[in-house]
Amino acid sequence: WAVFAAEGSAAEELQQHLQQLWVEAFGAWLPANPYEVVPGPEVLRLSASHEDGSGRGELWLPVQRTASTTPAVPEPDAVRSRQ
């Protein structure tokens, strides 16, 4: 799994950051790195604070390594391998 994270101090800000995760994942990170999306669920995990409206989101994409090259763009928070 490739996991991309975003945080926001308000609901609207978090929503914008989450939308940007998709753009960055598919428009920048995937084309520049030796991974490809494979069939499987795309997971969006959200956690919010009801006290101040802040929140955190994670976009989990099922990926597999396509070649043994050095990534051109830094890897997201985590690239997790599950068998």
Side-chain angles (χ1 to χ4, degrees):
W1 294 89
V3 180
F4 302 85
E7 294 184 14
S9 59
E12 296 81 19
E13 181 181 73
L14 179 59
Q15 180 182 3
Q16 291 173 351
H17 291 179
L18 292 172
Q19 290 173 351
Q20 190 62 33
L21 284 182
W22 290 90
V23 172
E24 291 172 4
F26 284 94
W29 189 83
L30 281 165
N33 285 280
Y35 292 92
E36 65 182 355
V37 175
V38 295
E42 296 168 346
V43 178
L44 184 59
R45 180 182 173 274
L46 300 172
S47 60
S49 169
H50 296 288
E51 294 174 7
D52 64 3
S54 65
R56 176 177 170 83
E58 293 179 344
L59 171 60
W60 291 55
L61 298 175
V63 297
Q64 73 179 18
R65 195 167 188 68
T66 58
S68 59
T69 60
T70 304
V73 176
E75 295 200 0
D77 287 347
V79 175
R80 299 180 180 143
S81 178
R82 294 185 117 173
Q83 300 293 333

